[in-house]
Amino acid sequence: MDTTLTESAAAPGAAADTANADTPGGPDGGAALYRARRERVLAALRAQGGGVALVPTAPEVMRNRDADYPYRHDSYFYYLTGFTEPEALLVLDANADENQPASILFCRAKNVERETWEGLRFGPDGAREAFGFDAAFPIDDLDAQIPRLIANRPALHYALAASERFDAQVRGWIDAVRAQTRSGVTAPAAAYDLLPLLDDMRLVKDAHELDTMRRAAKISALAHIRAMQTCRPGMREYEIEAELLYTFRKYGAQAPAYGSIVAAGANACVLHYPAGNAVAREGDLILIDAACELNGYAADITRTFPASGRFTSAQREIYDIVLAAQQAAVNATRAGVNFEAPHDAAVRVLAQGLLDTGILDRQRFASVDDVIAERAYARFYMHRTGHWLGMDVHDVGDYRERGAQHAGETPPWRTLRAGMTLTIEPGLYIRAAEDVPERYWDIGIRIEDDAIVTETGCELITRGVPVNADEIESLMQDAQRGA
Ligand code: GLY
Ligand code: MN
Ligand code: MN
């Protein structure tokens, strides 16, 4: 197994391209990529009768007193711009004629003093050139420019009711246009939610996105390997977490994609348990659900392994059931099937395993179909088998088909298409209880990999870290022997 990450494999240097204050570059992947996405949005808006789209980036958020949380751009805004500075807004004008700008950025003005403290700002001119906009203005000109840009346009398109602050800003801009109606100006007569269009675009990843996700997956897999190799009974959960965080940054990832779960022993039965102070004891399983964000894209990996490097027989039984459930879900993942197919496949294997082990009473359930019909497995498997993955760890996109043909009824589950990316993450969580065989008490196991849907199946991009129990044991034992 390749447990090293070479320059060519992960291109760590590339991760920092857009964040290097000394040598500002353009967007990751090149300006043409983002321009093409903006053109797709403009074409879709023209087909809907025109109007102006407004896409703000995320606000900066105060952590305490004058210290901010690390800044993270808005995913929609980034998807259409590649621009990562705070205080920015994209305007797409689907009614612009040939001589007018259709793709307009508002961003922070150049400011020598602020740049001395905070680092380089592109400024409107620099950003227009590097990121390929038709025009750019300082963010301080928003209230002067937006009413002019939305006047005489039929509609607005933005994330309706997603942010009170932005809703209020839009209202102010519409009011400013209405104030001029006696001069013959018309205000937009309708507002539409822009997000369904962007969600559908984001759901199917392009080659650049898939490449970035493969790299995020590879770095995250290395972090899990390092955690397995360094874990010893007696370590605390946060010490294991430190090995993960070290690896993310070491290979150029900007941040964890979500709060790391490092759960020792019974803590693994708490689904969103954050890494805490608990000691990993001999005989405990360690469940780690952690992955990095690289250039705006998330990975999402879970592995469960024995602190000592050897599964007990009861742990191994449950582990192999979850692994078989995951394999069944993997086998059910391909273009043309619906989103629910991998979940159904995993549930069937888990339900059978719960009967075989006697965790579910074989006297009470005649067959696996009964277990499924009564949802008796849900006491031990209470989450779904996967979710979309992309810029957001629980990425955007409907899980059901939308459209007029389904009005008034529950639409069918979404059909998978090549280029969609999702997790496959079955688990079993067995709390201590009188009616459960004691040998399985407090075992919590999840196995999670990231998949790119292909025409004939799926590509698992997180298998840089072993998943088979024998392979995990030998990786850990090699490390313990110093091999
Ligand atoms: N890490 C969050 C999840 O697995 O859904
Ligand atoms: Mn997940
Ligand atoms: Mn996860």
Side-chain angles (χ1 to χ4, degrees), residues 258 261 288-291 299-302 387 393-394 423 425 446 448 450:
Y258 52 91
I261 296 170
I288 297 182
D289 184 345
D300 186 4
I301 304 182
T302 307
H387 51 82
V393 63
H394 296 160
T423 65
E425 51 176 306
R446 177 163 65 257
E448 177 174 28
D450 302 344

Side-chain angles (χ1 to χ4, degrees), residues 48-71:
Q48 290 173 33
V52 174
L54 303 171
V55 186
T57 196
E60 295 171 285
V61 182
M62 199 73 90
R63 183 176 185 278
N64 56 315
R65 197 162 159 81
D66 60 351
D68 281 346
Y69 281 105
Y71 183 68

Side-chain angles (χ1 to χ4, degrees), residues 126-151:
R128 190 190 62 244
E129 194 151 322
F131 292 76
F133 299 102
D134 301 335
F137 298 97
I139 192 80
D140 289 342
D141 291 359
L142 268 188
D143 290 343
Q145 294 291 344
I146 299 283
R148 178 182 71 77
L149 290 167
I150 66 174

